[in-house]
Amino acid sequence: MSDLPDDFKCTITNWEYIYDLCRTVSTQVKRDDFEPDVVVALARGGWFAGRCICDFLGLNDLTSLKMEHYVGTAQKTGEPQVRYPMPEGSVEGKDVLIIDDIADTGGSIKRADEYVRERNAGEVRTATLQLLGTSDFDPDFVGERLDEWAWIVYPWNFIEDMIDLIAGVMERADQEAFSRAEIRRCLSEYHSVERIEMEIAQPNRLGEVLAEMERRDVIESEGGKWRLV
């Protein structure tokens, strides 16, 4: 389980913001005159960035490397490990750009860099859309540097993260049933997720998340309130 405190800060992002970070990384790659033959996107967070960067750089060769580090919202498994090896020969003799969404400790992208180099790649560079100040690894290209630690909720895992966050605050709060307003209050209290921030980044989606939590038997509704199952 995570060693984070119960009240860790979260920041919610949207597609446009992340797309701009992909453009920033691609611009840095071009300015550095690095011309990769293949982009290796770390699964799952790096998939969107990998595809966008291929578009920006005019590349067709995109492959994936699955690292296992986080198994849930802010829940680490320990040292990052390669879960699914890349196809044999997929990077051999090729210049490679490795991309991930974020470097927290930097462990995942550092291990990916080592793994790719072990497979006889040519020149290898690394990139992340966001880099936290807690990272021990400094990628070659960074879309944005964040001094303050926060759990970043990306558009591609918005529902997944919000389910974990909402279930967590409902479990910790001293009451059995919660209205929408009370859920929002707990998200603000425990994770600094303010209503206006969430509505700007992901408008009108709390109801969607609650409905999905019901579908997955995480919560049940009664009289306009929800409780954990």
Side-chain angles (χ1 to χ4, degrees):
M1 295 294 292
S2 168
D3 55 1
L4 297 172
D6 290 341
D7 59 350
F8 61 89
K9 181 181 179 181
C10 293
T11 299
I12 299 176
T13 59
N14 60 26
W15 291 109
E16 183 177 4
Y17 189 83
I18 298 303
Y19 188 73
D20 283 343
L21 292 180
C22 293
R23 180 185 286 109
T24 298
V25 169
S26 300
T27 299
Q28 292 174 6
V29 173
K30 293 174 186 177
R31 287 176 179 169
D32 205 43
D33 292 326
F34 179 56
E35 298 185 5
D37 301 302
V38 57
V39 172
V40 175
L42 300 195
R44 298 174 295 168
W47 283 344
F48 176 79
R51 181 61 186 91
C52 290
I53 286 172
C54 280
D55 187 41
F56 283 124
L57 298 181
L59 297 174
N60 293 319
D61 200 349
L62 172 64
T63 190
S64 178
L65 176 60
K66 172 65 173 174
M67 307 292 295
E68 192 163 84
H69 190 75
Y70 281 98
V71 293
T73 304
Q75 295 180 5
K76 293 183 181 180
T77 60
E79 291 300 315
Q81 301 294 330
V82 176
R83 183 172 181 182
Y84 300 127
M86 294 193 315
E88 190 68 29
S90 57
V91 296
E92 187 173 354
K94 298 179 181 180
D95 293 339
V96 180
L97 177 64
I98 303 170
I99 180 70
D100 202 4
D101 52 1
I102 192 168
D104 178 351
T105 65
S108 292
I109 196 163
K110 180 177 183 293
R111 179 67 189 100
D113 180 63
E114 295 168 347
Y115 179 87
V116 169
R117 292 178 187 276
E118 290 165 0
R119 271 135 194 86
N120 300 316
E123 187 173 359
V124 181
R125 303 281 188 92
T126 55
T128 58
L129 298 183
Q130 295 177 303
L131 178 68
L132 289 168
T134 52
S135 177
D136 293 326
F137 184 84
D138 195 12
D140 297 290
F141 310 108
V142 176
E144 178 182 40
R145 295 178 182 270
L146 304 173
D147 293 329
E148 183 181 5
W149 194 96
W151 179 262
I152 309 297
V153 179
Y154 292 105
W156 50 81
N157 58 278
F158 175 78
I159 292 178
E160 177 182 303
D161 276 0
M162 292 309 299
I163 287 176
D164 285 348
L165 292 170
I166 292 171
V169 298
M170 290 175 73
E171 184 175 1
R172 291 193 294 274
D174 187 23
Q175 62 188 86
E176 283 194 12
F178 300 78
S179 66
R180 286 196 187 198
E182 289 166 335
I183 290 172
R184 288 189 183 277
R185 175 183 56 77
C186 288
L187 287 173
S188 173
E189 179 182 342
Y190 287 103
H191 301 303
S192 301
V193 176
E194 304 301 335
R195 176 169 185 162
I196 189 168
E197 175 195 355
M198 183 170 170
E199 290 303 311
I200 290 173
Q202 297 290 336
N204 302 315
R205 298 199 65 187
L206 180 58
E208 177 187 0
V209 174
L210 294 174
E212 185 61 17
M213 292 178 75
E214 284 194 74
R215 190 186 73 84
R216 300 185 192 184
D217 295 324
V218 178
I219 59 174
E220 58 185 9
S221 60
E222 182 180 347
K225 290 195 172 187
W226 291 265
R227 58 168 51 87
L228 290 172
V229 172

